[in-house]
Amino acid sequence: MTGRRKLLGEWRGRLTKMPLPEREPTGSELTGPTPYGRDQTTRPLPQSYPAVQAELTALRERVPHLTGTVVASSDGLLIEHDLPAHIEPAGMAALAAAQLSLSYRLASTAHGGGFNEVVVHGSDGQVVIYAAGYTALTVLAGPDVNVGRLHLESRPVARAIAAHLAAAHD
């Protein structure tokens, strides 16, 4: 191995290796410097968004055969949800963010434009993910849902959620 490759390997190892905590920190432990040198007290802790939750509840009431909704950040963090008990919200948020990222990349590569929504038709229902600013609105519906009505009701909700979240962080 040449000296140059060895030095590059050492630098890469130094930049990518970061000690991980042995367990998740609790709310009282979220203080002090992070591995990146920033103070964690400036990072916003998870909070509740009643306006977003009201939008999700109203959407479920307006659309027949809708089984659940999730709002997740683009990095997969759960913001709000209205899901049945058998679906784990944090896992669904992570899956929705991954699908949103993949769909955005596919749309930008294929057409060079933006991404609005993705529809997954399954044998037991539909999953629709709408871009909502820097977040995603994921809607789960049964196989008998009217997909046109689902889009008609969900698109404005996605825009309203994006506006609520933008106003909450300004």
Side-chain angles (χ1 to χ4, degrees):
M1 181 184 288
T2 67
R4 186 175 178 180
R5 278 192 175 171
K6 186 175 181 181
L7 183 61
L8 180 63
E10 288 174 9
W11 285 346
R12 188 180 324 155
R14 194 175 308 142
L15 293 174
T16 58
K17 292 179 184 171
M18 181 178 77
L20 297 175
E22 296 201 12
R23 62 180 177 78
E24 282 291 314
T26 61
S28 62
E29 296 171 337
L30 288 176
T31 59
T34 67
Y36 302 108
R38 294 176 300 197
D39 188 9
Q40 283 186 336
T41 56
T42 61
R43 187 179 80 184
L45 294 175
Q47 58 183 344
S48 178
Y49 299 96
V52 173
Q53 187 63 46
E55 292 281 353
L56 297 180
T57 304
L59 179 63
R60 185 188 277 243
E61 291 171 356
R62 287 193 309 265
V63 179
H65 305 289
L66 192 135
T67 57
T69 53
V70 175
V71 178
S73 66
S74 60
D75 56 355
L77 297 176
L78 178 66
I79 295 175
E80 287 290 343
H81 74 91
D82 183 20
L83 288 172
H86 69 277
I87 298 176
E88 200 267 317
M92 182 58 73
L95 287 171
Q99 180 65 40
L100 179 73
S101 176
L102 182 63
S103 299
Y104 175 78
R105 177 72 179 186
L106 181 65
S108 65
T109 301
H111 302 292
F115 165 77
N116 295 322
E117 63 198 43
V118 61
V119 180
V120 179
H121 298 281
S123 60
D124 292 330
Q126 324 287 331
V127 178
V128 187
I129 302 172
Y130 299 93
Y134 292 105
T135 62
L137 168 64
T138 303
V139 179
L140 311 174
D144 297 329
V145 72
N146 180 335
V147 178
R149 172 124 187 243
L150 180 69
H151 288 319
L152 186 69
E153 297 285 349
S154 299
R155 288 173 183 152
V157 170
R159 288 190 294 270
I161 287 172
H164 289 312
L165 292 173
H169 291 287
D170 282 342

